[in-house]
Amino acid sequence: ALNSRDAMPKGGRLDIRTGNADSIIHAGQVLEVGSFVRVTVSDTGSGIQPEHLSRIFEPFFSTKQMHRGTGLGLATVYGIIRQSSGRIFASNRADVGTDFDIYLPRIGAKTSTTSSSHDDVDPWSTDETILLVEDDAQVRSTIRLTLEGRGYRVLEAPGAADAIDIYRREAKVISLVLADVVMPRMNGYQMVDAMVRSGPPRVLFISGHTDETLERQESALRDVYPLLRKPFSPAMLVTRVREVLDRATLA
């Protein structure tokens, strides 16, 4: 709704419609058969550039001017809906404006597991525990929702000190530490070095900083653990997390 408002600076119409559906339909294709509630949010705004439609749910992707948006709003929406076993699609209407179609499973109804080959949702499901360390609350929330939507249990820490305390208590059940590199007071490398005393952690670092900035975070661990660079899509995140966990398991 906020994006619709911004797309209609001279006014327009915002519609929110609800109804029952017996299938998920997108771009003229039936993707899944079952029992769903459909929510459609429509506006008469400027629409979305076709080349941007496939990226609008990516964290940090924004077409707004500097300081007008973080690129986390739709990513958060996506995470909430996926966590609820739902689907969301965006499309431009033929006349004017944009439609967002949301499908949520009806309570008490079993939905079909048959899905389209076009479904890009990560196929893995797990109950492993991830310790997420990120000082930006919005980014941390988006990542948590994405991981929980794939079945991971997520423990959150806004900084290194809290993360070290959590790891000392929960080291036996934490499968992976997913941590930002550059944080206030103590960087990710220093944090992991302190965690080692409670048992060597499996680690995947994330960062949106340049190589030059990361090199200033002096540590022998810089080349030991893998790094996922921001911005990344939800699919990139869960795929990289799975790769690190599987590699550690095989080792």
Side-chain angles (χ1 to χ4, degrees):
L2 291 174
N3 285 346
S4 293
R5 177 202 63 186
D6 292 343
M8 301 184 290
K10 296 182 180 180
R13 181 181 177 90
L14 172 65
D15 287 325
I16 300 176
R17 303 186 301 276
T18 63
N20 294 320
D22 56 12
S23 62
I24 295 177
I25 301 175
H26 178 60
Q29 291 187 326
V30 177
L31 304 184
E32 188 173 341
V33 176
S35 185
F36 307 93
V37 171
R38 177 178 176 176
V39 182
T40 299
V41 181
S42 304
D43 63 56
T44 57
S46 54
I48 302 171
Q49 293 295 321
E51 62 269 23
H52 295 155
L53 271 173
S54 64
R55 301 192 60 196
I56 60 172
F57 298 117
E58 294 181 11
F60 313 110
F61 178 78
S62 176
T63 59
K64 297 181 180 179
Q65 297 177 354
M66 188 70 70
H67 306 306
R68 289 292 304 276
T70 62
L72 291 172
L74 287 177
T76 301
V77 169
Y78 177 89
I80 293 171
I81 292 170
R82 289 304 303 157
Q83 185 181 11
S84 302
S85 300
R87 303 286 296 276
I88 180 170
F89 306 99
S91 59
N92 289 319
R93 291 206 306 280
D95 48 0
V96 62
T98 302
D99 287 336
F100 282 88
D101 291 312
I102 299 166
Y103 292 86
L104 297 169
R106 293 184 64 187
I107 293 176
K110 294 184 178 180
T111 59
S112 168
T113 57
T114 303
S115 61
S116 166
S117 59
H118 297 282
D119 189 355
D120 61 356
V121 177
D122 185 79
W124 291 298
S125 180
T126 178
D127 59 357
E128 292 160 300
T129 298
I130 294 176
L131 173 56
L132 171 61
V133 193
E134 167 62 64
D135 58 306
D136 187 306
Q138 282 189 300
V139 175
R140 191 171 67 249
S141 177
T142 301
I143 293 176
R144 174 180 58 79
L145 288 169
T146 299
L147 294 173
E148 288 180 341
R150 298 304 193 274
Y152 294 101
R153 174 184 176 232
V154 180
L155 304 176
E156 291 184 72
D162 290 329
I164 292 170
D165 288 341
I166 293 172
Y167 190 77
R168 284 172 178 165
R169 298 194 307 267
E170 306 281 352
K172 291 183 179 179
V173 300
I174 292 174
S175 303
L176 179 72
V177 176
L178 179 64
D180 200 355
V181 175
V182 181
M183 296 183 290
R185 291 180 288 279
M186 180 185 295
N187 66 37
Y189 301 130
Q190 295 167 327
M191 177 194 72
V192 170
D193 190 46
M195 288 177 174
V196 169
R197 301 165 194 169
S198 301
R202 296 167 182 164
V203 180
L204 173 59
F205 284 120
I206 54 177
S207 180
H209 290 274
T210 63
D211 289 334
E212 182 180 352
T213 301
L214 295 180
E215 287 174 0
R216 288 200 294 268
Q217 314 294 311
E218 295 183 7
S219 173
L221 298 177
R222 190 170 58 243
D223 298 321
V224 174
Y225 294 107
L227 173 70
L228 175 62
R229 293 190 177 276
K230 301 174 184 177
F232 46 76
S233 68
M236 290 168 59
L237 171 64
V238 295
T239 298
R240 197 74 177 98
V241 165
R242 193 66 256 165
E243 287 175 351
V244 173
L245 285 168
D246 287 345
R247 187 167 62 244
T249 300
L250 291 173

